[in-house]
Amino acid sequence: MTMRGLIVDWGGVLTTALEPSMRRWAAADGIEFAQFQDTMRAWLGNHQGQIAAVNPVAALERGEMQVPRFEEELASRLAARSGHEVRADGLLQRMFDHFEHAPDMAGLVLRAHHAGIRTGLLSNSWGNDYPRDGWDEMFDAVVISGEVRMRKPEPDIFAHTLELLGTAASETVFVDDLRANIDAATELGLVGVHHTSYETTAAELEALFGVPLAE
């Protein structure tokens, strides 16, 4: 099967890796990163697969919970674990201020687009503003979870993205840094690439598409 489509995540793929970025935020805010991890596990499960019954993260990503309410929930949980106050107002903006653009991966996607590959972005949003400059030249389709009221790893959001992209699952590659999202995509017939570095992802994509994409 000839690969025709490429879907990529934003945070952790087109930006610096999630954990180092969030560790910098936690250190700047005086938060123990392990306490933040414990809170996320309580909401998402150990492997971000089985969703807890009451899960503010899922509600935020689907756009069902507004950012200020989520910030209050998260700050309250972190304060309860740490024993000291955590400022809720602007918490997520402070977090995303520590995410940096990954120009090597952005360049790879742009080269794929110029090579005639259908390209799409599929991102779970935490209410953050995306740096969309250049997206019209890079992507044929953009799907942000909070805008479509669906989230990864739900099957419907993959189906929606494929429909916009105009490619079948079997001819589409999905790149994400979270294994749970890769597993969900491959169950639907997409070809998954677990992103750990530019070099390994570029090599895998070149092999799959049969065109030079690395720089």
Side-chain angles (χ1 to χ4, degrees), residues 15-16 40 93 98 114 130 136 176 195 212:
T15 75
T16 48
M40 291 298 102
Q93 185 59 57
H98 291 275
H114 287 164
Y130 289 83
D136 288 344
D176 200 292
H195 178 72

Side-chain angles (χ1 to χ4, degrees), residues 35 60 62 73 81 96 103-104 119 140 144 155 179 191 202:
Q35 294 171 348
L60 177 70
R62 292 195 200 99
E73 291 273 357
R81 290 178 183 274
F96 283 103
D104 50 3
T119 53
D140 296 292
I144 306 298
R179 174 58 67 180
V191 177

Side-chain angles (χ1 to χ4, degrees), residues 39 92 108 120 134 181 199:
T39 299
L92 290 185
L108 185 153
N181 293 333
E199 291 76 16

Side-chain angles (χ1 to χ4, degrees), residues 4-10 13-15 101-122 130-143 165 213:
R4 296 182 51 242
L6 172 63
I7 301 171
V8 298
D9 180 30
W10 182 75
V13 175
L14 296 182
T15 75
H101 178 60
D104 50 3
M105 281 301 300
L108 185 153
V109 176
L110 185 60
R111 288 190 291 276
H113 184 76
H114 287 164
I117 297 166
R118 298 284 293 172
T119 53
L121 177 75
L122 174 54
Y130 289 83
R132 301 185 186 226
D133 290 348
W135 280 15
D136 288 344
E137 292 75 36
M138 188 182 300
F139 298 116
D140 296 292
V142 172
V143 177
L165 205 58
L213 295 173

